[in-house]
Amino acid sequence: MKKTDQGTWEWLRSYTRDHGASPQDMQIFDEVSSRRQFFGQVGKGGAALALLGFGAGTEAAMQGLFGRGMIPAAWASEPVEITDEQAKHMLAESGKEGLIVYNQRPMNAETPVHLMKDAVTPAKYHFIRNNDLISERAMRKDPQGYKLEIEGEVNKKVSFSLDQLQRMKTVTYRAPIECGGNGRAHFDPPVRGNQWRYGAIGNSEWTGVPLADLLKEAGLKSSAVYTGHYGEEPVLGDRPPFSRGIPIDKAMEKHTIVAFKMNGQDIPAAHGYPVRLVVPGWYGSASHKWLSKIVIRDVEHDGRGMTGFSYRMPKYPVKPGERPPEEDMVVGGPWVVKSLITGPSADSEFKVGQTIKVTGHAWAGENEVKELWVSTDFGLNWTKAKLGKPHNKYSWQQWEHDLKFAGRGYYEIWARAVDDKGNTQPIVQPWNPRGYEGNMVHRVPVMIQPA
Ligand SMILES: Nc1nc2c(c(=O)[nH]1)N[C@H]1C(S)=C(S)[C@@H](COP(=O)(O)O)O[C@H]1N2
Ligand SMILES: [Mo]
């Protein structure tokens, strides 16, 4: 389906209704469809930029990848033609291709699963999640006058130019950066926020200086318990700057770095030029982009994005749709165990007896993935897949599994990771008010035809 026309919409509407959408889903569908038009996908090199919202991944979504009774997320978010200068620049500069763009100001775009096969995510396939605009410096790629300041509960206020940072001892790690809201589209009832499906994660290679080395130069006071991060970007609207933080132990962990290279290149504008934090294994929001200041706090940081319901989880499981009192919410941190099936693509067709190579990634926040299990009978039986070691602590791990089907029909391939603490992925998504830590098993439908 490449074009929007009335016939297509009617077909989509009946498809949605016939696949278990609730009256409420249908109401959302009608509201969205009366307003939307769609255009196509982000073109090669991000150049032509007619836009999308309804890319290749969506076809898979329509054909059963998502739970019944739920409309595919893309339908609930409005695609926009890319007109914003910053958005155009961000997509073009890193050659973004095939991403699903939810909005452009701020810019939010995810990667469809079929483009996530690489062990090291190229910049062109790394999702973008912005809360505000991006800095002029990032637009111009101008290192002049950049500095990173560290202040607060330190013995000595310090600051570093880009040049100074680049001359220090660097490390290079692969690290997953995953939005805390990745998987939000699978929450039922739906919750507000970007309706990320699977693709708000990337596992690129980052080079930089361990934050611990900079904090040692400043000298932490014994009162230091938390960091607060600030960036150079202008705020959208009348509100304080986006500012998250992490506990001091995580800040001192050797994989937490102040990065200035992504996959060996200057960090693209979209991903934080010239300098960003990389806090591996934690909500992506901790990995502050366009980083210019770190304030060391003597209390848990309370910047925008740390309080109320944002980036916070209930202390106890809550009934779907129910909001606990604000004081029962705690700051989200490490990501939970999760896996992805990157091949075959949803709705692939195979023959009875044919060998199918199933591939994917698995990761587990602070932990290591120990086992990966595959089911083709809706979770009744599980078989262990071949699972690789992480390239370095935190990096996602690759897995593969050969499958053969003995009979024709509709099947789903399910994947479920187990980490070294015994945690595993739920089959039904547990609910929380803002849709964080979505990690239910990934299901890929396939059709098996007679040999
Ligand atoms: N300065 C700044 N840093 C930020 C953000 C932001 O809006 N402003 N968004 C955060 C969030 S919520 C995520 S998930 C990651 C996304 O990183 P990416 O755009 O490089 O994929 O950046 C984080 N760093
Ligand atoms: Mo995020």
Side-chain angles (χ1 to χ4, degrees):
M1 185 191 51
K2 296 287 174 248
K3 285 237 171 64
T4 309
D5 56 45
Q6 204 48 38
T8 309
W9 272 111
E10 273 156 26
W11 180 83
L12 281 175
R13 193 176 193 287
S14 51
Y15 184 93
T16 309
R17 192 195 49 227
D18 296 347
H19 285 76
S22 66
Q24 200 188 359
D25 286 341
M26 292 314 293
Q27 198 183 334
I28 297 173
F29 181 90
D30 288 337
E31 272 169 29
V32 171
S33 58
S34 68
R35 275 176 292 158
R36 82 181 291 158
Q37 336 168 26
F38 37 98
F39 299 90
Q41 251 176 286
V42 172
K44 192 155 178 67
L49 298 190
L51 225 297
L52 87 143
F54 222 52
T58 310
E59 269 174 83
M62 293 186 308
Q63 291 168 19
L65 181 54
F66 292 91
R68 308 301 186 210
M70 201 179 203
I71 61 169
W75 302 3
S77 67
E78 252 180 301
V80 269
E81 188 179 3
I82 298 270
T83 50
D84 183 74
E85 284 311 310
Q86 289 202 337
K88 279 190 199 171
H89 183 89
M90 282 184 264
L91 294 170
E93 191 208 5
S94 32
K96 299 286 187 208
E97 208 183 299
L99 266 61
I100 302 162
V101 176
Y102 291 113
N103 33 59
Q104 55 182 316
R105 209 180 151 83
M107 178 75 190
N108 288 295
E110 80 167 276
T111 312
V113 178
H114 69 280
L115 297 181
M116 297 178 74
K117 291 195 195 322
D118 301 282
V120 180
T121 307
K124 68 175 178 176
Y125 295 148
H126 202 284
F127 78 103
I128 306 174
R129 196 288 187 251
N130 292 345
N131 287 273
D132 292 295
L133 299 177
I134 72 168
S135 71
E136 271 305 307
R137 180 191 307 290
M139 287 289 285
R140 293 195 314 268
K141 272 277 169 87
D142 177 11
Q144 264 324 306
Y146 169 81
K147 60 181 187 276
L148 169 62
E149 296 176 305
I150 300 178
E151 59 183 55
E153 303 297 311
V154 290
N155 295 328
K156 165 173 86 164
K157 199 173 147 172
V158 289
S159 92
F160 304 88
S161 67
L162 183 58
D163 198 46
Q164 280 173 310
L165 289 172
Q166 285 170 338
R167 277 186 279 119
M168 295 177 74
K169 190 168 179 297
T170 64
V171 291
T172 298
Y173 294 123
R174 295 181 189 173
I177 292 182
E178 178 169 21
C179 187
N182 196 24
R184 182 178 289 130
H186 311 132
F187 280 64
D188 185 14
V191 297
R192 75 180 176 87
N194 289 311
Q195 296 298 304
W196 307 115
R197 290 175 258 166
Y198 299 100
I201 178 163
N203 192 83
S204 297
E205 193 165 78
W206 300 93
T207 299
V209 179
L211 176 57
D213 292 353
L214 308 183
L215 296 181
K216 278 175 207 152
E217 282 203 24
L220 290 175
K221 289 189 175 162
S222 58
S223 51
V225 296
Y226 228 87
T227 61
H229 316 144
Y230 295 87
E232 287 189 305
E233 80 276 22
V235 174
L236 253 183
D238 183 19
R239 50 183 185 172
F242 176 73
S243 178
R244 301 253 312 148
I246 51 175
I248 222 68
D249 287 351
K250 182 64 179 170
M252 295 296 285
E253 210 272 341
K254 68 172 187 172
H255 297 83
T256 296
I257 63 176
V258 169
F260 43 78
K261 284 203 184 302
M262 176 187 198
N263 299 335
Q265 310 281 319
D266 285 351
I267 298 177
H271 301 296
Y273 178 89
V275 167
R276 84 174 298 168
L277 268 177
V278 176
V279 181
W282 281 44
Y283 286 20
S285 52
S287 292
H288 214 90
K289 301 192 280 190
W290 316 291
L291 182 72
S292 58
K293 197 194 320 194
I294 298 176
V295 179
I296 305 300
R297 305 287 316 261
D298 59 3
V299 291
E300 183 178 89
H301 186 50
D302 54 1
R304 181 182 130 219
M306 295 291 294
T307 56
F309 286 85
S310 71
Y311 300 103
R312 283 174 167 251
M313 287 286 284
K315 285 180 191 159
Y316 45 83
V318 298
K319 188 173 168 187
E322 271 179 21
R323 250 180 182 242
E326 220 174 285
E327 61 270 22
D328 288 351
M329 302 295 290
V330 288
V331 176
W335 247 101
V336 288
V337 59
K338 197 162 167 179
S339 61
L340 202 59
I341 301 167
T342 53
S345 301
D347 301 303
S348 298
E349 290 197 5
F350 299 96
K351 293 260 190 277
V352 168
Q354 187 184 345
T355 301
I356 306 170
K357 192 164 241 13
V358 187
T359 57
H361 312 292
W363 61 103
E366 287 289 329
N367 305 328
E368 187 175 321
V369 178
K370 269 282 145 44
E371 291 166 6
L372 191 293
W373 296 82
V374 172
S375 174
T376 54
D377 57 6
F378 294 84
L380 295 176
N381 294 284
W382 295 87
T383 317
K384 227 182 204 180
K386 205 171 116 199
L387 172 72
K389 285 290 209 189
H391 176 268
N392 51 260
K393 184 170 160 69
Y394 296 106
S395 175
W396 67 13
Q397 296 163 238
Q398 280 58 62
W399 62 268
E400 59 178 60
H401 187 64
D402 285 344
L403 272 184
K404 266 187 202 166
F405 288 88
R408 64 177 292 181
Y410 170 88
Y411 296 88
E412 291 184 10
I413 304 171
W414 291 15
R416 193 176 203 189
V418 182
D419 73 15
D420 55 3
K421 303 281 186 316
N423 302 303
T424 188
Q425 300 176 249
I427 290 169
V428 173
Q429 180 56 53
W431 196 90
N432 62 76
R434 283 289 171 81
Y436 297 120
E437 299 181 17
N439 71 333
M440 71 175 187
V441 295
H442 187 192
R443 299 158 54 178
V444 168
V446 290
M447 282 306 298
I448 307 300
Q449 306 293 1

